[in-house]
Amino acid sequence: MFELKNISVSADNREIVTDVSLTLKKGETAILMGPNGSGKSTLVNGVMGHPHYTITNGKVVLEGDDVTNSKTEEKAEKGIFLSMQHVPKVGGLTLAAFLHKASKSTESVLEYYVTLRSEVEEYGINPNLLDRPLTAGLSGGEKKLSEIIQLVALKPKLAILDEIDSGVDVDALKIFFKAIDVLREKGTTFLVISHHPSLLDHLSPDTVHVMSNGKLVKSHGKELAEEILKHGFCGAVDCEHRDTCPAAQK
Ligand code: ADP
Ligand code: MG
């Protein structure tokens, strides 16, 4: 349902991601891993059309439609959702008002709010976040909870989650598991960037992709994530530092 074909992405006039191709089937859960600075966030930000990143080569295809040059809001309308690693500060409207607009609901704001509030409560999330600004003034963990509320409210076809688990407490992590499980049952496809062992364990991904130095260097089943957690990236992947990396010699 989703394909990246030979994608290269630049930032600040420098090519950071080179020639990445990957395919996700409908309902698949894929994990994207890689050492810090390997280009994971650059890839997904570029794909979604973040203004600091430019796709310089390749195609992004959603359900057969070439969306490479579509605007970010068009990609979102077509069903792609990106939770950014560094959630930007946005104020001036509440999360509930934002979601009423973003979902293009035909219900009144009040009707929409009442339904959403009870849905949010079912997940065990403090519904008062709906009345707070979208992300401005929220703590790191609250920002990630705001992203999860957006995910469950918008029910995208493809959810790209870039380190949604970073800086969240154990209770919030359980909420994330539940939200992801519910959406997976409904057929949402996931591309999750994470190094969190309990998330990887819980998700039991169909595929694991590894980036190193801006390139996709290995794709495999979930055993690859287990190997990486045990032996580190150099131990699991033929990266260019492998000959000198102590982890690879073990
Ligand atoms: P990862 O998400 O895998 O940790 P990133 O995609 O954030 O890696 O970063 C990959 C490399 O690109 C890093 O060297 C980073 O400093 C650089 N980079 C990321 N964003 C920008 C940007 N907006 N401008 C310049 N360099 C960037
Ligand atoms: Mg990143």
mmCIF file of all heavy atoms in Angstrom, residues 11-12 14 16 35-42 52-53 85, ligand 1:
data_model
loop_
_atom_site.group_PDB
_atom_site.id
_atom_site.type_symbol
_atom_site.label_atom_id
_atom_site.label_comp_id
_atom_site.label_asym_id
_atom_site.label_seq_id
_atom_site.Cartn_x
_atom_site.Cartn_y
_atom_site.Cartn_z
ATOM 1 N N ALA A 11 19.101 18.045 3.193
ATOM 2 C CA ALA A 11 18.788 19.153 4.105
ATOM 3 C C ALA A 11 19.994 20.060 4.081
ATOM 4 O O ALA A 11 21.129 19.573 4.028
ATOM 5 C CB ALA A 11 18.546 18.640 5.521
ATOM 6 N N ASP A 12 19.725 21.349 4.100
ATOM 7 C CA ASP A 12 20.826 22.295 4.145
ATOM 8 C C ASP A 12 21.811 22.057 2.985
ATOM 9 O O ASP A 12 23.035 22.096 3.178
ATOM 10 C CB ASP A 12 21.557 22.088 5.500
ATOM 11 C CG ASP A 12 22.020 23.399 6.089
ATOM 12 O OD1 ASP A 12 21.657 24.437 5.521
ATOM 13 O OD2 ASP A 12 22.772 23.351 7.086
ATOM 14 N N ARG A 14 22.731 19.385 1.600
ATOM 15 C CA ARG A 14 23.607 18.217 1.751
ATOM 16 C C ARG A 14 22.730 16.974 1.647
ATOM 17 O O ARG A 14 21.658 16.907 2.258
ATOM 18 C CB ARG A 14 24.247 18.288 3.146
ATOM 19 C CG ARG A 14 25.194 17.166 3.468
ATOM 20 C CD ARG A 14 26.057 17.550 4.683
ATOM 21 N NE ARG A 14 25.328 17.469 5.948
ATOM 22 C CZ ARG A 14 25.225 16.362 6.672
ATOM 23 N NH1 ARG A 14 25.760 15.240 6.268
ATOM 24 N NH2 ARG A 14 24.563 16.372 7.813
ATOM 25 N N ILE A 16 21.510 13.652 2.696
ATOM 26 C CA ILE A 16 21.614 12.918 3.963
ATOM 27 C C ILE A 16 21.110 11.484 3.786
ATOM 28 O O ILE A 16 21.679 10.548 4.328
ATOM 29 C CB ILE A 16 20.835 13.652 5.076
ATOM 30 C CG1 ILE A 16 21.504 15.001 5.350
ATOM 31 C CG2 ILE A 16 20.780 12.815 6.362
ATOM 32 C CD1 ILE A 16 20.764 15.901 6.271
ATOM 33 N N PRO A 35 21.582 3.500 13.883
ATOM 34 C CA PRO A 35 22.273 4.317 14.869
ATOM 35 C C PRO A 35 21.823 5.773 14.809
ATOM 36 O O PRO A 35 21.283 6.222 13.783
ATOM 37 C CB PRO A 35 23.746 4.208 14.455
ATOM 38 C CG PRO A 35 23.830 3.075 13.507
ATOM 39 C CD PRO A 35 22.483 2.868 12.912
ATOM 40 N N ASN A 36 22.066 6.520 15.884
ATOM 41 C CA ASN A 36 21.753 7.956 15.890
ATOM 42 C C ASN A 36 22.437 8.621 14.701
ATOM 43 O O ASN A 36 23.594 8.312 14.404
ATOM 44 C CB ASN A 36 22.282 8.623 17.166
ATOM 45 C CG ASN A 36 21.564 8.111 18.397
ATOM 46 O OD1 ASN A 36 20.406 7.710 18.321
ATOM 47 N ND2 ASN A 36 22.258 8.114 19.516
ATOM 48 N N GLY A 37 21.706 9.497 14.034
ATOM 49 C CA GLY A 37 22.302 10.235 12.918
ATOM 50 C C GLY A 37 22.354 9.453 11.621
ATOM 51 O O GLY A 37 22.983 9.879 10.655
ATOM 52 N N SER A 38 21.666 8.287 11.556
ATOM 53 C CA SER A 38 21.747 7.487 10.329
ATOM 54 C C SER A 38 20.752 7.959 9.259
ATOM 55 O O SER A 38 20.779 7.463 8.135
ATOM 56 C CB SER A 38 21.545 6.000 10.638
ATOM 57 O OG SER A 38 20.335 5.793 11.308
ATOM 58 N N GLY A 39 19.868 8.899 9.614
ATOM 59 C CA GLY A 39 18.987 9.486 8.594
ATOM 60 C C GLY A 39 17.528 9.057 8.674
ATOM 61 O O GLY A 39 16.746 9.355 7.770
ATOM 62 N N LYS A 40 17.139 8.401 9.760
ATOM 63 C CA LYS A 40 15.752 7.913 9.882
ATOM 64 C C LYS A 40 14.746 9.072 9.883
ATOM 65 O O LYS A 40 13.775 9.076 9.134
ATOM 66 C CB LYS A 40 15.589 7.079 11.169
ATOM 67 C CG LYS A 40 16.565 5.922 11.272
ATOM 68 C CD LYS A 40 16.441 5.177 12.583
ATOM 69 C CE LYS A 40 16.698 5.964 13.842
ATOM 70 N NZ LYS A 40 18.084 6.458 14.029
ATOM 71 N N SER A 41 15.017 10.068 10.750
ATOM 72 C CA SER A 41 14.079 11.202 10.829
ATOM 73 C C SER A 41 14.091 12.003 9.539
ATOM 74 O O SER A 41 13.045 12.469 9.074
ATOM 75 C CB SER A 41 14.441 12.118 12.003
ATOM 76 O OG SER A 41 14.292 11.435 13.213
ATOM 77 N N THR A 42 15.284 12.145 8.944
ATOM 78 C CA THR A 42 15.383 12.880 7.681
ATOM 79 C C THR A 42 14.520 12.193 6.614
ATOM 80 O O THR A 42 13.802 12.854 5.856
ATOM 81 C CB THR A 42 16.859 12.935 7.225
ATOM 82 O OG1 THR A 42 17.604 13.606 8.234
ATOM 83 C CG2 THR A 42 17.015 13.643 5.897
ATOM 84 N N HIS A 52 12.177 21.815 5.814
ATOM 85 C CA HIS A 52 13.652 21.819 5.890
ATOM 86 C C HIS A 52 14.284 20.682 5.072
ATOM 87 O O HIS A 52 15.500 20.583 4.990
ATOM 88 C CB HIS A 52 14.129 21.679 7.346
ATOM 89 C CG HIS A 52 13.771 22.854 8.195
ATOM 90 N ND1 HIS A 52 13.862 22.850 9.555
ATOM 91 C CD2 HIS A 52 13.294 24.083 7.853
ATOM 92 C CE1 HIS A 52 13.464 24.015 10.027
ATOM 93 N NE2 HIS A 52 13.109 24.779 9.005
ATOM 94 N N TYR A 53 13.451 19.812 4.521
ATOM 95 C CA TYR A 53 13.971 18.616 3.832
ATOM 96 C C TYR A 53 13.422 18.553 2.408
ATOM 97 O O TYR A 53 12.267 18.866 2.170
ATOM 98 C CB TYR A 53 13.576 17.341 4.607
ATOM 99 C CG TYR A 53 14.112 17.345 6.015
ATOM 100 C CD1 TYR A 53 13.388 17.928 7.053
ATOM 101 C CD2 TYR A 53 15.366 16.820 6.307
ATOM 102 C CE1 TYR A 53 13.886 17.965 8.348
ATOM 103 C CE2 TYR A 53 15.871 16.851 7.601
ATOM 104 C CZ TYR A 53 15.130 17.423 8.608
ATOM 105 O OH TYR A 53 15.636 17.466 9.884
ATOM 106 N N GLN A 85 9.637 13.174 15.645
ATOM 107 C CA GLN A 85 10.474 12.917 16.831
ATOM 108 C C GLN A 85 10.505 14.162 17.737
ATOM 109 O O GLN A 85 10.319 14.056 18.939
ATOM 110 C CB GLN A 85 11.895 12.557 16.387
ATOM 111 C CG GLN A 85 12.805 12.266 17.561
ATOM 112 C CD GLN A 85 14.201 11.818 17.110
ATOM 113 O OE1 GLN A 85 14.502 11.772 15.922
ATOM 114 N NE2 GLN A 85 15.032 11.489 18.057
HETATM 115 P P1 ADP B 1 18.335 9.844 12.984
HETATM 116 O O1 ADP B 1 16.896 10.200 13.016
HETATM 117 O O2 ADP B 1 18.624 8.528 12.326
HETATM 118 O O3 ADP B 1 18.988 9.912 14.350
HETATM 119 P P2 ADP B 1 18.611 12.316 11.486
HETATM 120 O O4 ADP B 1 17.826 12.064 10.251
HETATM 121 O O5 ADP B 1 17.979 13.163 12.540
HETATM 122 O O6 ADP B 1 19.104 10.916 12.101
HETATM 123 O O7 ADP B 1 19.983 12.993 11.100
HETATM 124 C C1 ADP B 1 20.847 12.470 10.092
HETATM 125 C C2 ADP B 1 21.966 13.467 9.835
HETATM 126 O O8 ADP B 1 21.431 14.600 9.163
HETATM 127 C C3 ADP B 1 22.633 14.004 11.099
HETATM 128 O O9 ADP B 1 23.996 14.144 10.829
HETATM 129 C C4 ADP B 1 21.953 15.342 11.306
HETATM 130 O O10 ADP B 1 22.794 16.249 11.998
HETATM 131 C C5 ADP B 1 21.676 15.796 9.882
HETATM 132 N N1 ADP B 1 20.484 16.661 9.787
HETATM 133 C C6 ADP B 1 19.235 16.329 10.151
HETATM 134 N N2 ADP B 1 18.380 17.353 9.939
HETATM 135 C C7 ADP B 1 19.113 18.350 9.405
HETATM 136 C C8 ADP B 1 18.802 19.684 8.968
HETATM 137 N N3 ADP B 1 17.557 20.167 9.021
HETATM 138 N N4 ADP B 1 19.811 20.428 8.476
HETATM 139 C C9 ADP B 1 21.066 19.930 8.421
HETATM 140 N N5 ADP B 1 21.425 18.700 8.815
HETATM 141 C C10 ADP B 1 20.466 17.921 9.306
#
